[in-house]
């Protein structure tokens, strides 16, 4: 499955051919602090480009 850009919250998700999945959000809270992008439009464009680079492959 190719990667999918998530809209709210902004992030990316993918399921790989071995069944593992991952999702990463742009804005995160860690250690009591919130880390957010200053330019959400640019972040979304970069995620769209990244999603285009993720291709399904056959497990070997």
């Amino acid at each position: 499955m190719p990667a999918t850009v998530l809209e709210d919250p902004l992030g990316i998700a993918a399921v790989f051919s071995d069944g593992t999945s991952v999702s990463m959000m742009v804005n995160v809270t860690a250690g009591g602090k919130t880390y957010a992008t200053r330019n959400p439009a640019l972040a979304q464009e970069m995620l769209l480009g990244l999603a285009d680079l993720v291709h399904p492959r056959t497990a070997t």
Side-chain angles (χ1 to χ4, degrees):
M1 172 183 154
T4 304
V5 175
L6 306 172
E7 296 291 328
D8 189 20
L10 185 59
I12 192 166
V15 178
F16 299 101
S17 58
D18 66 355
T20 59
S21 63
V22 65
S23 61
M24 301 292 290
M25 302 306 138
V26 172
N27 300 324
V28 296
T29 301
K33 294 183 180 180
T34 299
Y35 300 93
T37 179
R38 291 187 224 173
N39 190 335
L42 175 61
Q44 184 175 22
E45 286 296 317
M46 293 179 75
L47 288 172
L48 289 168
L50 177 60
D52 285 343
L53 295 174
V54 177
H55 301 286
R57 290 185 175 46
T58 306
T60 57

